[in-house]
Amino acid sequence: MSVITNMENKFSSESIDSVDKRRESIDEVIEMMKGYVQIEHSVAVISDLAEKKSYILSGNFRNFLEMDSSEYFTIDSIWEDDIYQRIHPDDLFERHLLELDFFNFLKALAPEERLNYTTNCKIRAINSNKEYQHIMHRNFYLKNSSKGGLWLAVCLYNYSYEMPESFSGIDGKIINTKTGAFFHVETYDNCIGLLSVREKEILVLISKGIISKEIANKLTISINTVNRHRQNILEKLNVSNSIEAVRTANALHLLK
């Protein structure tokens, strides 16, 4: 979970509309998604990045997740922790890397283009027999704010209808649902520029177990500067500690 602990820092910097305007849009989206999950028999999590809460709507797939029979409820978080606990830790990590890459991919697009894209991946989740089974996960944004900030995010969960042998890992993709074009996400190219040269240099030294004071001496900078860079690294990689920062940076191929 630490991979996404600080994702809220990115979301909170997005330009958001007034409370009344948001409420009207949220009510509209909830009504639309209520019908969708019944047709698709899926589970949808609508995350309000402004209010830091989520609306969970469920079709029949809630039985797989052993969720309460309620078709609609709210949680005070943009992370669906109860569902995350059922996902294989390796797949959860990879899924969050995909989400980070997707976020940076969308930020490079014009606001009106962002809503045409979704991620798609297959992740292992614990079924009612307490065994891991591949399920489908999608992530997309339904609304920008009027100021162009990303606002309402949606995660969809449903059965996967592909055999595990037909794909490797989580088989992450970013798809343009308007045109049908897609590309596989394996190297997280949209995250290449996340860290500055100095931040990479410091993170490499951290990975070798070197403490901040020694890093400051080695690079001839103040310890306050080192600590500021360390904090920036954690925020950019959306992690809560240096161990996770090194793991995530290596997975994103940022330290090579």
Side-chain angles (χ1 to χ4, degrees), residues 48-64:
D48 181 342
L49 308 185
E51 295 293 332
K52 294 182 172 57
K53 64 170 56 176
S54 295
Y55 306 89
I56 300 180
L57 301 92
S58 58
N60 287 338
F61 190 67
R62 66 176 176 267
N63 296 325
F64 177 95

Side-chain angles (χ1 to χ4, degrees), residues 175-219:
I175 303 168
N176 185 323
T177 57
K178 187 176 182 179
T179 66
F182 71 92
F183 57 90
H184 285 88
V185 179
E186 296 173 344
T187 58
Y188 306 105
D189 293 339
N190 296 293
C191 294
I192 287 176
L194 270 184
L195 301 181
S196 69
V197 173
R198 178 64 91 185
E199 288 165 348
K200 290 179 183 179
E201 190 176 20
I202 288 173
L203 192 53
V204 167
L205 295 174
I206 291 172
S207 71
K208 296 178 180 178
I210 300 175
I211 62 175
S212 293
K213 183 177 180 181
E214 294 175 356
I215 292 174
N217 292 335
K218 187 176 182 66
L219 300 180

Side-chain angles (χ1 to χ4, degrees), residues 7 14 17 29 38-39 50 77 85 89 99 102 104 106 120-122 163 166 197 200 208 219 234 241 243 250:
M7 195 83 171
E14 296 297 302
D17 294 321
V29 165
Q38 294 306 314
I39 293 171
S77 172
Q85 290 173 9
E99 184 174 325
F102 185 51
N104 286 282
L106 294 180
N120 189 301
C121 65
K122 287 89 176 179
M163 295 297 293
S166 66
V197 173
K200 290 179 183 179
K208 296 178 180 178
L219 300 180
L234 298 185
N241 59 64
I243 293 174
N250 280 325

Side-chain angles (χ1 to χ4, degrees), residues 79 118 120-121 147 160 200:
W79 315 117
T118 181
N120 189 301
C121 65
K147 299 177 182 179
S160 173
K200 290 179 183 179

Side-chain angles (χ1 to χ4, degrees), residues 10-190:
K10 284 185 179 291
F11 292 153
S12 63
S13 68
E14 296 297 302
S15 299
I16 300 298
D17 294 321
S18 67
V19 173
D20 289 343
K21 193 166 188 176
R22 296 200 308 267
R23 185 68 259 172
E24 182 180 347
S25 292
I26 288 170
D27 289 344
E28 174 189 334
V29 165
I30 288 173
E31 287 306 310
M32 177 179 66
M33 292 303 296
K34 279 182 179 179
Y36 181 86
V37 298
Q38 294 306 314
I39 293 171
E40 289 290 318
H41 306 292
S42 57
V43 168
V45 181
I46 306 170
S47 295
D48 181 342
L49 308 185
E51 295 293 332
K52 294 182 172 57
K53 64 170 56 176
S54 295
Y55 306 89
I56 300 180
L57 301 92
S58 58
N60 287 338
F61 190 67
R62 66 176 176 267
N63 296 325
F64 177 95
L65 297 173
E66 297 183 306
M67 295 171 58
D68 185 271
S69 59
S70 172
E71 296 180 356
Y72 167 52
F73 60 95
T74 305
I75 58 173
D76 293 322
S77 172
I78 60 173
W79 315 117
E80 54 270 27
D81 289 344
D82 287 347
I83 297 178
Y84 290 165
Q85 290 173 9
R86 304 181 69 90
I87 300 172
H88 192 287
D90 292 344
D91 291 0
L92 184 62
F93 180 71
E94 289 291 334
R95 202 212 85 170
H96 290 321
L97 293 180
L98 175 62
E99 184 174 325
L100 179 60
D101 192 73
F102 185 51
F103 182 85
N104 286 282
F105 169 78
L106 294 180
K107 291 298 291 180
L109 300 178
E112 61 271 18
E113 289 295 317
R114 296 171 185 163
L115 307 187
N116 295 332
Y117 287 87
T118 181
T119 66
N120 189 301
C121 65
K122 287 89 176 179
I123 51 180
R124 290 167 290 178
I126 296 174
N127 61 26
S128 58
N129 294 325
K130 308 306 177 187
E131 299 172 339
Y132 279 117
Q133 176 180 332
H134 278 94
I135 65 172
M136 182 183 69
H137 176 269
R138 293 177 62 200
N139 171 224
F140 54 90
Y141 290 83
L142 270 178
K143 292 280 187 178
N144 290 309
S145 72
S146 62
K147 299 177 182 179
L150 291 166
W151 173 34
L152 288 182
V154 177
C155 285
L156 284 177
Y157 297 89
N158 210 334
Y159 294 104
S160 173
Y161 302 106
E162 296 182 49
M163 295 297 293
E165 294 80 6
S166 66
F167 56 88
S168 60
I170 65 169
D171 190 33
K173 300 183 187 73
I174 292 178
I175 303 168
N176 185 323
T177 57
K178 187 176 182 179
T179 66
F182 71 92
F183 57 90
H184 285 88
V185 179
E186 296 173 344
T187 58
Y188 306 105
D189 293 339
N190 296 293

